[in-house]
Amino acid sequence: MDGGQWDWIVPAGLWEIARPLPPASRVRPQGGGIVGVADEAVFAAIVYVLVSGCSRRALPPCFGASKSPAHRRFSIRSCAGVGERLHQAVLDRPVGDGLLDVSRVVLDSAHVRAKKRGRTHRSFARGPG
């Protein structure tokens, strides 16, 4: 996708990372299906919906995929864990290229769950008596 049609929405190199991750398209015995829509176009459409925050029903026709095939492939890829694998692959790439050192990592305490009914919770009735 580098230097291609979808560079305006898909960052450079992202398609190269994402290309091997989705499961192979299944050919339906009765014909039809999603074979006619290019994987690059559907990936760009998915990225567009996720980045812009628009509804999949508002997907522009420039992608060549209607809302149903784009949503179907998104659902298939979500169930197959492609999003998590893509996230991990994007994180691993700078580490493998020596661009990022993760030997020292800091945990932010804002992500630690607070227990209910701690010391500050008043479990007794207020008022006189």
Side-chain angles (χ1 to χ4, degrees), residues 36-60:
V37 183
D39 284 337
E40 294 92 348
V42 173
F43 182 73
I46 291 170
V47 170
Y48 178 81
V49 169
L50 294 175
V51 169
S52 70
C54 77
S55 169
R56 69 179 169 92
R57 292 176 182 87
L59 188 66

Side-chain angles (χ1 to χ4, degrees), residues 6-39:
W6 307 112
D7 286 346
W8 60 275
I9 190 64
V10 178
L14 185 60
W15 173 243
E16 297 308 318
I17 297 171
R19 181 188 313 257
L21 298 178
S25 295
R26 195 178 59 161
V27 178
R28 296 173 12 167
Q30 68 270 28
I34 56 178
V35 178
V37 183
D39 284 337

Side-chain angles (χ1 to χ4, degrees), residues 6 22 30-31 74 76 82 87-88 92-93 101 113-114 124-125 128:
W6 307 112
Q30 68 270 28
F74 176 74
I76 291 168
V82 172
H87 184 233
Q88 190 61 48
D92 290 343
R93 186 145 194 173
D101 179 21
R113 190 178 125 226
F124 54 90

